[in-house]
Each structure stands twice: as C-alpha cells, then as structure tokens.
Amino acid sequence: MLTMYLLILCFFEKFIICCTQVATANSGESSNATSIEEASSEKKTQLTGIYDLVAVLTHKGRSADSGHYVAWVKQENGKWVQYDDDNPISQREEDITKLSGGGDWHMAYMCLYKARVI
C-alpha cells in the first residue's frame, strides 16, 4: 500500500512541476522548477484547452469502509500500467475506459488530466 501512495505522490510532484512550468511560460516569469524536459521549457507554450487522461485512482469494494485502492498510470510511451500495491501490471487502454464500478469492480475515484500544450 505504501508503494502505491509513493507512486501517486511522485506523479503529483511531476504533474505540479509541469503545471508550474506551463503557467510560468504563459506569464513570462522565471521559475526554479526543473524537469526532465528542460529544453522544451525554454520554448514559449500555449494551452490548447484539451486535456488528456494520464492517471486514475480507483476503489474496488462495496463500501467506503472496505475495499482496496489501485492506481492506473499512463506512461510516457502511451502504455497504461496498473499499480496494485507493489505489483505493476500492463493494461490495455480499453480496460481503463471500463473503470465504471459496480459491485466488486473498480470505480474511478480520482481522474488526473494533463493539459495539452503547443
């Protein structure tokens, strides 16, 4: 369970850094935030108004008092990975769209999106 929380925290940290860079680029201010893509942060970016689903946190169980949380994260290469505790499993994109819940199946609890920029 700790592994999943750490993965989610790492994802949020990367997501926040990306958002900070986009906001900074649009406002013209400089930022101390660093990223893997430092070269692209020097270019001026524009928000498109389009957002891509990049992660889903699901709850599997019949009530809030019981069940299990699982993270589903889209990798940079476009492949989806399900993080169930310390057991990462590759998933098809079609499986992500079926996270509608019901009974003992996974219900999307939190969806994370990333803004497309040009």
Side-chain angles (χ1 to χ4, degrees):
M1 191 66 145
L2 178 61
T3 304
M4 184 181 76
Y5 288 129
L6 290 175
L7 288 169
I8 292 170
L9 288 174
C10 289
F11 178 79
F12 277 124
E13 181 178 294
K14 183 177 177 184
F15 186 74
I16 290 169
I17 288 171
C18 289
C19 290
T20 302
Q21 288 177 341
V22 169
T24 301
N26 287 337
S27 67
E29 299 173 7
S30 63
S31 171
N32 294 332
T34 58
S35 171
I36 296 171
E37 302 175 283
E38 286 185 46
S40 66
S41 67
E42 294 175 6
K43 299 176 186 176
K44 189 146 180 117
T45 58
Q46 265 187 321
L47 295 174
T48 62
I50 301 171
Y51 294 83
D52 296 309
L53 181 66
V54 293
V56 180
L57 179 63
T58 62
H59 180 264
K60 181 179 179 182
R62 293 181 184 257
S63 73
D65 295 332
S66 65
H68 186 67
Y69 291 93
V70 176
W72 311 69
V73 181
K74 189 173 188 177
Q75 305 298 301
E76 293 291 327
N77 62 9
K79 304 285 185 187
W80 283 89
V81 177
Q82 173 189 350
Y83 292 96
D84 189 352
D85 290 333
D86 60 350
N87 187 21
I89 304 166
S90 294
Q91 296 292 326
R92 297 176 301 152
E93 190 158 353
E94 302 85 60
D95 297 331
I96 306 308
T97 60
K98 296 177 184 173
L99 298 174
S100 59
D104 288 325
W105 186 238
H106 294 273
M107 178 180 292
Y109 182 72
M110 182 185 306
C111 297
L112 301 172
Y113 294 88
K114 181 178 178 183
R116 284 191 200 173
V117 293
I118 54 171

